[in-house]
Amino acid sequence: MPKPHIPLEDIRAQVEACRKCPLADGRTQTVFGVGNPSARVLIVGEAPGKNEDLQGEPFVGKAGQYLNELLAIAGLAREDVFIANVLKCRPPGNRDPRPEEIELCTPYLREQTRTIDPEFIVTLGNFSTKFILKTEIGITRLHGTLQRAGKFKVFPIFHPAAAIYDGSKREALENDFATLGELLRASDAEKAASAAQVDSPATPAQPAVEQPHLL
């Protein structure tokens, strides 16, 4: 029997009370995630930075503004998607997440994903991509390619911050978000075609026409 989904507010309360690892000692607040609780697209980043830790919301500041622009390229807005991170607390000095921190924190992300039940998971950067896809292949090779993780369609993309520090990644990021928009529209068209096929009445059988004998 499948486990019942946990309401997002209950998962948020668990995150806020969490002290499983030392990151809890240095946080200003947890960064649970924000957006549409029934989102078709779940965006997964790596970990909160300084601004996120102060405001309690993922992807604020320059990276957040750029993410808004990228979402628009895909025909989306922040209120359409749900945005979360692999880690819910800021690593000191914005260092990379450590394996033990990922292991302790990701059950919250798993429960968020089960409850939101998105069609697409967009992984931003190496850590979220490797965690979601259970792979050691890096984002440079995987970005812009549609993958699968169980029933979810997974679309890896460079982290927006990467383009802020390295302008050469901007074109790839924008192209990948354009591709995401195409994937969403193709999925819509496929669903519409399936619905039309189900709704259309069966064509009545035509009476057999007796063919003349050719003598």
Side-chain angles (χ1 to χ4, degrees), residues 3 20 46 84 127 140 145 178:
K3 286 169 56 182
K20 291 178 184 175
E46 298 184 354
F127 287 93
T140 302
T145 64

Side-chain angles (χ1 to χ4, degrees), residues 16-212:
E16 290 173 351
C18 180
R19 304 199 68 83
K20 291 178 184 175
C21 81
L23 292 183
D25 298 330
R27 73 190 180 205
T28 304
Q29 56 189 314
T30 57
V31 182
F32 175 73
V34 67
N36 182 344
S38 303
R40 184 181 179 191
V41 177
L42 172 63
I43 309 279
V44 181
E46 298 184 354
K50 180 180 178 182
N51 290 322
E52 287 79 9
D53 175 68
L54 292 172
Q55 298 184 40
E57 184 173 324
F59 285 92
V60 295
K62 285 184 179 179
Q65 290 167 10
Y66 188 38
L67 178 60
N68 293 346
E69 295 174 26
L70 293 166
L71 288 170
I73 291 172
L76 297 166
R78 272 182 91 102
E79 54 267 27
D80 299 324
V81 303
F82 195 96
I83 306 172
N85 280 312
V86 171
L87 297 188
K88 308 304 186 195
C89 296
R90 179 195 179 198
N94 290 354
R95 63 158 170 77
D96 289 341
R98 291 176 176 163
E100 64 273 18
E101 294 163 351
I102 293 172
E103 183 179 353
L104 290 168
C105 203
T106 47
Y108 301 126
L109 178 60
R110 288 194 189 96
E111 291 298 342
Q112 284 176 301
T113 304
R114 290 182 69 248
T115 299
I116 296 165
D117 195 26
E119 179 182 357
F120 287 86
I121 300 175
V122 175
T123 56
L124 300 179
N126 261 322
F127 287 93
S128 58
T129 298
K130 288 181 176 181
F131 170 71
I132 297 290
L133 292 178
K134 302 292 183 281
T135 182
E136 286 305 310
I137 301 173
I139 189 67
T140 302
R141 281 179 57 193
L142 287 175
H143 80 90
T145 64
L146 187 61
Q147 307 289 324
R148 278 274 179 181
K151 69 174 185 174
F152 301 111
K153 300 171 186 173
V154 180
F155 195 63
I157 301 180
F158 285 116
H159 196 288
I164 293 172
Y165 300 117
D166 178 1
S168 67
K169 290 188 169 63
R170 182 176 287 265
E171 183 178 359
L173 260 162
E174 294 176 2
N175 287 342
D176 287 351
F177 271 90
T179 301
L180 174 63
E182 291 168 7
L183 291 169
L184 289 165
R185 289 189 290 275
S187 178
D188 285 339
E190 190 177 322
K191 289 174 188 172
S194 297
Q197 199 169 24
V198 169
D199 293 341
S200 62
T203 304
Q206 298 298 316
V209 177
E210 188 175 347
Q211 297 297 320

